[in-house]
């Protein structure tokens, strides 16, 4: 690709892993750092009002603010002179942690069912399913029947899981207040 085309391809492939599932490049031929970066984007996902999957941008940003608060040794999370309630921080960490746990479980099971396949390929497929992105490292069609079921389960969890956890935690906090 020309330098201009490389920039456009990078931009497009930086947006796509968050929701769209289109690709202009051969994902399987990307370098490992590129795949890892895309996995991070797929895990974070889209904006809260969209139909995209992932833990959502707002959840990720809230975790970053919480991390910054801890690193700067402050007691409360303040963003633009507004205090963020700890219940929202706990909810964000719960959503992200459950996402990591589900991805880890499905990835582990895929390493058992898909013998001889590169771990980065299996992890990419798992993150893609978790974020309901639709990208593949050229392996989805080669999954075993059990592997296809596992990826389907991951897609269902990825689409419904974070949303359900968020609603359950919101309902619980409303009942307590």
């Amino acid at each position: 690709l020309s330098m201009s085309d490389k920039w456009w391809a990078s931009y497009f492939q930086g947006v796509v892993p968050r929701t769209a599932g289109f690709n202009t490049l051969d994902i399987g031929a990307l370098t490992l750092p590129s795949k890892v970066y895309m996995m991070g984007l797929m895990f974070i996902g889209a904006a809260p009002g969209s139909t995209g999957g992932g833990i959502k941008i707002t959840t990720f940003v809230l975790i970053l603010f919480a991390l910054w608060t801890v690193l700067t040794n402050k007691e409360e999370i303040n963003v633009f002179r507004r205090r963020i309630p700890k219940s929202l921080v706990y909810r964000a960490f719960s959503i992200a942690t459950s996402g990591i746990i589900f991805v880890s479980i499905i990835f582990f099971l895929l390493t058992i069912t898909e013998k001889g396949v590169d771990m980065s390929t299996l992890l990419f497929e798992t993150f893609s399913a978790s974020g309901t992105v639709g990208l593949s490292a050229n392996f989805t069609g080669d999954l075993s029947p059990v592997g296809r079921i596992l990826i389907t389960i991951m897609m269902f969890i990825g689409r419904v899981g974070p949303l359900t956890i968020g609603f359950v935690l919101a309902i619980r906090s409303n009942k307590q207040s």
Side-chain angles (χ1 to χ4, degrees), residues 27-32 35-36 39 42 107 110-111 114 116-129 135-143 151:
I27 303 296
L30 293 177
T31 62
L32 184 58
K35 287 181 187 176
V36 170
M39 286 185 253
M42 289 187 286
F107 170 65
L110 283 173
T111 62
E114 310 304 313
V117 179
D118 185 45
M119 288 178 60
S120 66
T121 300
L122 292 177
L123 194 57
F124 189 92
E125 298 291 335
T126 307
F127 272 110
S128 180
L135 292 176
S136 175
N138 302 334
F139 184 69
T140 305
D142 297 330
L143 284 165
I151 288 294

Side-chain angles (χ1 to χ4, degrees), residues 63-139:
I63 290 170
L64 289 179
F65 281 129
L67 178 63
W68 181 252
T69 301
V70 170
L71 292 175
T72 56
N73 203 23
K74 295 183 180 170
E75 290 294 317
E76 303 212 353
I77 300 173
N78 291 301
V79 180
F80 303 117
R81 296 187 205 159
R82 293 183 182 255
R83 187 182 63 79
I84 305 295
K86 288 187 180 181
S87 63
L88 289 179
V89 177
Y90 296 151
R91 188 178 313 163
F93 274 106
S94 298
I95 290 169
T97 303
S98 65
I100 291 168
I101 289 169
F102 287 129
V103 164
S104 299
I105 290 170
I106 297 296
F107 170 65
F108 173 73
L109 294 173
L110 283 173
T111 62
I112 295 169
T113 64
E114 310 304 313
K115 302 244 187 278
V117 179
D118 185 45
M119 288 178 60
S120 66
T121 300
L122 292 177
L123 194 57
F124 189 92
E125 298 291 335
T126 307
F127 272 110
S128 180
S130 168
T132 62
V133 175
L135 292 176
S136 175
N138 302 334
F139 184 69

